[in-house]
Amino acid sequence: QVQLVESGGGLVQAGGSLRLSCAASELTFSSNGMGWFRQAPGKGREFVGAVSGSGGATYYASSVKGRATISRDNAKNTVYLQVESLKPEDTAVYYCAASLYRTSTMISGYDYWGQGTQVTVSS
């Protein structure tokens, strides 16, 4: 079974930075677009960013553009989300997802999901 495991979440002071990791198994990793989503309490899951299978293309939501960087290390089957200048509104559970097809900004574009990692930004 495909597994995606997020790590790196925690409590961070506003203005700080955080790097999240997502390790994948049982995937042809370099062929999979990978996405990051987040869900705050009482809200739906929203797109944060995505990276193509080769790492050559990235996409970001306007809420994090300029602050977030998505990268991947295909040799380690791992994708990363680095967020700078964190804000309290970044507080959410962050999920990584893998697509068997095209890299997507949509929830429906992904086939596998991790269990999420909590990010809390204090003011």
Side-chain angles (χ1 to χ4, degrees):
Q1 183 176 341
V2 173
Q3 290 186 326
L4 301 173
V5 181
E6 302 95 337
S7 62
L11 178 63
V12 185
Q13 188 175 22
S17 63
L18 198 65
R19 190 191 196 196
L20 305 181
S21 299
C22 175
S25 66
E26 299 189 24
L27 290 171
T28 305
F29 190 76
S30 63
S31 299
N32 297 103
M34 300 291 294
W36 284 96
F37 294 77
R38 67 187 183 186
Q39 187 166 16
K43 296 185 178 180
R45 193 167 298 186
E46 66 174 354
F47 173 75
V48 177
V51 60
S52 63
S54 67
T58 54
Y59 310 87
Y60 300 98
S62 60
S63 58
V64 299
K65 185 176 291 186
R67 299 189 295 123
T69 302
I70 292 176
S71 60
R72 63 192 299 159
D73 185 341
N74 287 344
K76 295 183 177 180
N77 281 11
T78 301
V79 63
Y80 306 94
L81 173 65
Q82 176 83 20
V83 185
E84 309 286 343
S85 301
L86 284 161
K87 306 173 182 179
E89 50 262 46
D90 293 320
T91 295
V93 176
Y94 284 70
Y95 300 88
C96 68
S99 173
L100 296 177
Y101 309 100
R102 305 296 185 190
T103 307
S104 178
T105 62
M106 305 294 293
I107 292 172
S108 60
Y110 292 88
D111 303 282
Y112 303 101
W113 294 81
Q115 294 300 304
T117 184
Q118 177 71 49
V119 173
T120 302
V121 183
S122 62
S123 60

